[in-house]
Amino acid sequence: MSSGPELTVVVVDDEQLARDELCFMLEEMGGVSILARAGNGEEALALVERLEPQVVFLDVQMPRLNGLQATRRIRAAMALRRRPADRTRPRRKRASAHRATVDPRSR
C-alpha cells in the first residue's frame, strides 16, 4: 500500500471482464483511486469532463467511439479548459521534416 497521494483514474473498456480485471490489478497495486468505469468512449468523455482524473485507461477498439478518437477529444477538451497560466508555459518543440530539411540552393 502506498502512503502518498492516490493516483485518480478512470477505466474504459467495452468488455466488462477486461474492465474488472484491470480495476482489480490497479486496486491490488495500491496508491490508485478508481473514480469510475465506462463501457465506451462516449461515456469516457462525460466522466473525464466531470471527474477530471489524472489518468484514463482506454481500450483501443470499442463501439461508438474508439479509444483513439476518445483520446483526441479528451485532449482537445483539456486544451480548451487549460488555465491562462498554463498557456504561457513554453511548449516542447516537435521535430518535423520541413524544419530539418535544408535547401542547398539557400546557401
Side-chain angles (χ1 to χ4, degrees):
M1 223 23 155
S2 174
S3 61
E6 289 193 330
L7 185 67
T8 57
V9 304
V10 169
V11 176
V12 186
D13 197 311
D14 59 318
E15 296 182 31
Q16 179 72 43
L17 186 59
R19 246 189 345 258
D20 292 345
E21 183 66 22
L22 179 55
C23 288
F24 174 78
M25 291 179 355
L26 290 169
E27 289 167 348
E28 286 291 308
M29 185 175 71
V32 176
S33 174
I34 299 168
L35 300 178
R37 303 171 189 204
N40 63 59
E42 291 174 349
E43 291 175 14
L45 289 174
L47 289 170
V48 169
E49 179 73 26
R50 185 168 48 93
L51 301 173
E52 297 185 6
Q54 294 170 305
V55 176
V56 181
F57 290 92
L58 286 159
D59 183 19
V60 174
Q61 294 183 354
M62 294 185 290
R64 295 189 212 159
L65 188 64
N66 70 41
L68 299 175
Q69 294 165 325
T71 299
R72 286 186 198 104
R73 291 191 188 179
I74 289 168
R75 290 184 71 189
M78 287 172 55
L80 291 174
R81 264 197 332 234
R82 209 178 323 168
R83 296 185 313 264
D86 290 344
R87 290 191 187 112
T88 61
R89 209 180 300 154
R91 301 185 95 185
R92 277 187 311 161
K93 292 185 179 180
R94 295 184 195 176
S96 65
H98 73 276
R99 284 192 210 142
T101 304
V102 177
D103 184 357
R105 295 175 287 178
S106 66
R107 292 182 184 195

